[in-house]
Amino acid sequence: MATTAAPGQPPPPGGVVIEHKKGEVNELKAALRNPALDRDPEKKRDVIKRVIAYMTLGIDVSKLFSEMIMASASKDHVVKKMVYLYITTYATANPELSLLAINTLQKDCRDEDPMTRGLALRSFTSLRLENTKEYLPSVVAAGLKDSSPYVRKTAVIACIKLHRLAPEALVQNDAVNTLYNMLRDRDALVVSNCISALNEILQHEGGMAINKLIIHHLLNRIKEFNEWSQCVVLDMVARYKPETQQETFDIMNLLEERLKHSNSAVVLAATKVFLNLTQDMKAVHAQVYARLKAPMLTLMTGGVFEQGFVCLKHIALLTSRSPAVFAGDFKHFFCRYNDPVCVKVLKLEILTTIASVSNVQEIVEELSEYVTDTDNSVARGSVSAIGSMGVKVPEMAGIVIDALMKFVGYDITDVSAEAVICMQKLLRKYPVHADKILAKMPDFLRTIDEPEAKKALLWMLAEYGHVIPEAPYLFEPLVEGFSEETSQAVRLELLATATKLFFRRPAEMQAMLGTLLDEAISDASFTDVHDRAMLYYRLLHYDVHKAAIILSRGGTVDGPYVEEAPSELADKIFEQFNTLAVIYGEPAERFVTDERALSSVNAAAAKAAAAKAAEIEADVAASTGQASAIIKGAGNVAAIAPFSALLKAELMS
Amino acid sequence: MDGDKFCSADSKAPCASPVQRLSSAMIGALLFINAKGEIILDRKYRDDYNKASVIANKEAGRNPVKTIGDTHFLFICVSGMYAVAVTTGNPQCATCFQFLHQVVNLFKGYFGDFSEESLRNNFVLFYELLDEVLDYGYPQNCSIDVLKMYITQEGDKSAAADKAQSQAVTIQATGAISWRKEGIKYRKNELFIDVIENCNLMVSNKGTILRNDVSGVIQVKCYLSGTPECKFGLNDKLMLDNEAKAKKPGAAAPAAKKPGSGIEIDDVSFHQCVKLGKFDIDRTISFVPPDGEFQLMSYRITENVNLPFRVLPVVKELGRTRLEVNVKIKAMFTFKLFATNVVIKIPLPKNTAQANVSAASGKCKYEPAQGGITWKIRRFPGDTEYFMSGEVEMMSTMGDKQWSRPPIVMDFQVPMFAASGLHVRFLKVFEKSNYQTIKWVRYITKAGSYQHRI
């Protein structure tokens, strides 16, 4: 339909609707050409308004370009603004005709009214046309020296646009130095725009250079800045490293009151400053966390949903670095019934991180309520959160296991499955609690059907085969069901369990293992299963005792799980505090691809480099693809190779 | 951060990593989308984005950030309309959301409400506004009072080239006290203060209070002439302590203070007009107010909250198909006050066949569309109790999930009652001409999320 076509694109040909609209565009054209229009400003405004209305609807009105340019000569502000909006939208589609507008724009840039000057300058630099290059530098330079702050702040931003269009023109103008000088401008908005501009223009060298003088100058004036500008300034301060400790404290004292600002953006920006400044001072850093707690909680609970969400994400980040700070306030993170799912999941994550001996019991009680939540991810999430808390706080593992046992009885497929998976994790770390779980094993095996959970159960069966008297008999029906099992993972686990159990209960297992290996080797539906069966078979055939050494090693874990250890990634995200990176939980490099190409000094060169990189990447991808194909093609031999290497190493030792 | 590498402005700092990403509040474009997912209005500031993908992804769910390809969409939903900020960089997310809300508020200030219709009717003026609030993706001035001075429907007037005024306006637009213009005059100087408290409560099924706090705002309507300096006093505990100390410096006895005379405020945040430095020193709130309506402060209190209502529910499952519900609601505030628009929603299982409910007062009935019993009491006097009871029959179903037992949710308004116990002690207005000011203070407590598990 015509109404959804983007402006600037010609409407698709044909169609009655479009014919009709075309008629209206022609009508407008006639109206604009009517000389009587100039005598009636009211009517003229109405006509132009209609043009803009069509533009908003997505109807192509680029045909009216020359008429609209004529209209720009008007004295009427509203008309001017509309015409400029029109021109900036359609200029790229009509580069030739746009030249006609340049004259008017240049004239308006010298108008005596500062509003007009600012407006013209803004529109002029937004044209994005090659042929405006020669005019722009002088206009921008004049704007930077203008007496009105309104024009100056527009001109500063115009520098960025010029930088995108013609970086070399900016160098000739010595604009960067001018901008540095303008940091001392009387007007606060001009200053903050200068910072934004320098940051963007100098992005290839890490943004605007800062020193003590500049930072102090900005900090002393911070109260003059409006809320958005304060964010810009604070972002700069966050990059600054004070020379002495005293200076750090001075800055923090000065900025402390910013934490009481009603604008969450300012609060988060100030938070970033505090965190960055104290990064090397352990004790103070900890204090800072405590100080930030109250404002963060306020932001989270009060105000609008989005703000709360952003804030929760940041709290999640903070707690991952310093869990103890929010440990006492765990009740704030209890979910409300009508919280959106994404918030609930986030709260579960935070609760898991801040769990400690003192609060686990209450948190577990609370989370037990969410297990019956209508949303699956919340229900499962709360079970796995309870499990993780048990892993984290050894003293409370008993309570956690009790809760998990209860969930299995709830008869909600996902919940019971997740509970069993959690039990496996707990047992890997704390084998002392095995008795409780193992007693219920027969029940579990009967009810649980989900592949992941089944795997967990099989693992437990194998590890504790010597403790559970009826283990082989529990295992028997599962062996019989091997051929109907559709999950490859479960099949692999069945093989492993059978072998492990064999070493523990050889008499009862021998026949079963034989049948299972036989079945697995003769069934070729999963290559991996087949290969694994072959491996076990050969291993057992080669030397049963050595096979026993290799295969029946205990599976307990002493240290922390890998996921719990602090990672480089987390540090990187922390550096990008108060940006989208925190929301995604990924550093900016992973999701910003476009900026790099656009920001470099020489955009074209960068683009070429990017293209080259893409090429190389494609090559690599292709070659790895080939490699994997080769491995697959080689079949059994290749797949077994790594195993046999391992085997050798083990036998040597 | 390799910020330490930059020692002076003119030294060409060596750059270790060629691309060090800076966060910047760059918004590529703003979109306004209706509930059906159609773009009502868009304004591009820098980047191009794929319009088709926006439309295709209209069911964005509740996560306020959405990524499609390289483009990030940050959106808020206000009365069925979506305001979306589009970016391809890594902006300060809080700034984006705050800015979107500001834009919506700006729109409401200009046109009354933020709806598809008003947007369509006023797009020309709105384009003008959008032109001013963002320049190339960087937020500029969003203060409605300032913008109203130079963006008006009557473009002719400003074009009449009253040069002096125009000059003044542009200075104002970027100036320090950007929220108040000079020379405001009122015949009657009035000031209205509304203390609005949202009371949040969560009670477990055993009757223990899990969470109980108040998040409040103080809303001010200001019709004052000139440039008044206002001083505002609350019964904040720290402030009262300060004053007590100041009065009798010799007898420094905090014990002499009456218990319960002050309240503990966990955290406050203020409108940008409040002089924060002064608040930090002696806890006085002084400010030069903007003209018209604004939110002076917001606060959060968790200690000693007076609950307006207690809910005492008994929900018994009698076998698989019957349920007995008895709920008692007790108003805890004084008999002199009354609550209005009290609505209690008692959830029932999905397979409910019929429910016989009765209540001594108010309207009480089972509404299948609401998934439970709705009990409405228009006027609930203080210090009284109301009961309702009901018997529910359910259809027997096979292999269904257990009933998740959602909480009882309550909604109410209690005028002239502040759950936190906060009250406005004084409000002084100082102005050169020393005029009389008429001041009004109102309190209201509303239900925030008032939930009782069953």
Side-chain angles (χ1 to χ4, degrees), chain A residues 150 187 200 264 298 366 584, chain B residues 46 67 98 138 174 267 453:
Chain A
Y150 183 81
D187 190 87
E200 206 173 330
S264 64
T298 309
E366 174 69 16
Y584 290 134
Chain B
R46 44 202 302 161
T67 313
Q98 199 79 43
Y138 293 102
T174 56
D267 192 53
R453 295 203 183 128

Side-chain angles (χ1 to χ4, degrees), chain A residues 326-444:
Chain A
F326 286 90
D329 300 271
F330 61 94
K331 282 187 179 171
H332 281 281
F333 304 106
F334 285 176
C335 300
R336 294 178 197 160
Y337 186 72
N338 41 1
D339 273 340
V341 173
C342 59
V343 170
K344 281 187 181 170
V345 172
L346 202 51
K347 282 183 174 171
L348 288 176
E349 188 190 312
I350 295 173
L351 282 173
T352 317
T353 350
I354 63 176
S356 67
V357 182
S358 58
N359 59 19
V360 163
Q361 191 158 8
E362 271 180 272
I363 297 180
V364 169
E365 268 170 34
E366 174 69 16
L367 292 196
S368 305
E369 299 278 335
Y370 309 156
V371 166
T372 51
D373 196 285
T374 39
D375 188 277
N376 232 346
S377 54
V378 176
R380 270 196 100 127
S382 37
V383 177
S384 91
I386 290 176
S388 318
M389 280 188 270
V391 172
K392 218 180 119 207
V393 189
E395 295 87 339
M396 293 293 160
I399 293 177
V400 167
I401 289 177
D402 287 343
L404 292 176
M405 305 281 275
K406 204 171 71 196
F407 299 153
V408 181
Y410 277 7
D411 204 26
I412 308 170
T413 328
D414 284 293
V415 171
S416 342
E418 190 66 41
V420 169
I421 295 169
C422 289
M423 283 181 201
Q424 184 205 7
K425 280 188 197 149
L426 278 163
L427 279 196
R428 279 177 72 192
K429 256 195 130 161
Y430 314 115
V432 260
H433 295 287
D435 298 350
K436 258 192 248 171
I437 297 173
L438 298 181
K440 284 275 182 184
M441 211 56 181
D443 291 345
F444 294 167

Side-chain angles (χ1 to χ4, degrees), chain A residues 238-253:
Chain A
R239 280 173 43 198
Y240 176 63
K241 281 251 159 47
E243 285 160 13
T244 61
Q245 264 200 5
Q246 188 53 42
E247 196 186 350
T248 309
F249 291 127
D250 286 344
I251 294 177
M252 294 209 296
N253 283 332

Side-chain angles (χ1 to χ4, degrees), chain A residues 7 45 49 52-53 56-57 75-78 81-82 85 112-115 119 122 148-150 153-154 157 160-161 164 187 189 193 196 199-200 204-207 209-211 214 224 226-228 231 235 239 241 257-258 260-265 268 272 276 294-295 297-298 301 304-307 309-310 314 331-332 334-338 340 342 366 369-370 372 412 575 578-581 583-584 588-589 591-596, chain B residues 1 3-4 6-9 15 18-23 26 40-41 43 46-47 51 62-67 70 72 74-77 87-95 97-99 101-102 120 123-124 127-128 131-132 135-136 138-142 150-151 153 155-156 158-159 163 166-167 170-171 173-176 200 202 205 209-211 266-272 276-277 279-280 300 302 401-402 404 406-407 449 451 453:
Chain A
R45 205 191 288 179
K49 217 172 181 170
I52 301 293
T56 312
L57 286 175
K75 269 276 155 216
D76 185 343
H77 254 213
V78 177
K81 277 183 188 161
M82 286 193 284
L85 178 69
E112 56 179 15
D113 179 11
M115 289 300 287
L119 177 67
R122 191 163 54 222
S148 159
Y150 183 81
K153 71 138 183 137
T154 312
I157 296 289
I160 313 177
K161 301 182 200 168
R164 283 261 167 119
D187 190 87
L189 197 54
N193 279 356
S196 306
N199 270 338
E200 206 173 330
H204 58 283
E205 49 185 77
I210 45 177
N211 60 19
I214 295 178
E224 294 170 30
N226 73 24
E227 40 196 341
W228 316 115
C231 298
D235 203 46
R239 280 173 43 198
K241 281 251 159 47
E257 58 193 51
R258 290 301 116 197
K260 289 212 169 53
H261 205 285
S262 64
N263 189 323
S264 64
L268 278 180
K272 185 176 184 173
N276 278 0
L297 288 176
T298 309
T301 48
V304 286
F305 155 71
E306 292 82 11
Q307 178 193 312
F309 179 73
V310 169
H314 281 90
K331 282 187 179 171
H332 281 281
F334 285 176
C335 300
R336 294 178 197 160
Y337 186 72
N338 41 1
C342 59
E366 174 69 16
E369 299 278 335
Y370 309 156
T372 51
I412 308 170
E575 270 172 29
N578 190 20
T579 64
L580 270 183
I583 304 288
Y584 290 134
E589 287 84 48
F591 58 87
V592 182
T593 48
D594 180 38
E595 208 181 347
R596 189 190 313 227
Chain B
M1 281 278 142
D4 53 334
F6 308 110
C7 347
S8 79
C15 47
V19 193
Q20 207 238 347
R21 261 163 237 294
L22 300 161
S23 63
M26 297 178 304
I40 306 297
L41 198 144
R43 177 77 170 87
R46 44 202 302 161
D47 303 303
K51 224 173 190 180
R62 283 295 272 155
N63 194 332
V65 184
K66 177 114 190 146
T67 313
D70 293 338
H72 313 292
L74 295 90
F75 63 87
I76 62 167
C77 178
T87 177
T88 52
N90 184 23
Q92 300 184 353
C93 40
T95 312
F97 285 123
Q98 199 79 43
F99 179 78
H101 276 287
Q102 194 80 282
R120 283 199 196 279
F123 67 90
V124 172
Y127 270 130
E128 281 189 47
D131 212 28
E132 290 298 329
D135 192 359
Y136 207 50
Y138 293 102
Q140 304 290 307
N141 197 327
C142 297
Y150 64 99
I151 301 207
Q153 227 99 30
D156 274 338
S158 58
K163 199 179 154 200
S166 185
Q167 205 96 35
T170 51
I171 287 168
T174 56
N200 299 314
M202 190 145 68
N205 49 8
I209 294 174
L210 296 174
R211 258 189 61 190
D266 285 37
D267 192 53
V268 273
S269 60
F270 294 107
H271 186 264
Q272 56 171 333
L276 293 166
F279 180 76
D280 271 355
R300 186 167 56 86
T302 48
K401 267 192 183 179
Q402 210 185 359
S404 66
S449 114
Q451 304 186 340
R453 295 203 183 128

Side-chain angles (χ1 to χ4, degrees), chain A residues 270-323:
Chain A
T271 306
K272 185 176 184 173
V273 175
F274 277 74
L275 292 173
N276 278 0
L277 283 182
T278 56
Q279 213 148 39
D280 301 328
M281 301 185 247
K282 272 239 162 73
V284 187
H285 200 59
Q287 275 177 31
V288 164
Y289 276 108
R291 176 68 191 83
L292 294 174
K293 194 171 73 177
M296 290 296 263
L297 288 176
T298 309
L299 279 187
M300 182 190 94
T301 48
V304 286
F305 155 71
E306 292 82 11
Q307 178 193 312
F309 179 73
V310 169
C311 192
L312 262 180
K313 277 276 185 193
H314 281 90
I315 290 178
L317 181 66
L318 289 180
T319 49
S320 70
R321 291 176 69 96
S322 173

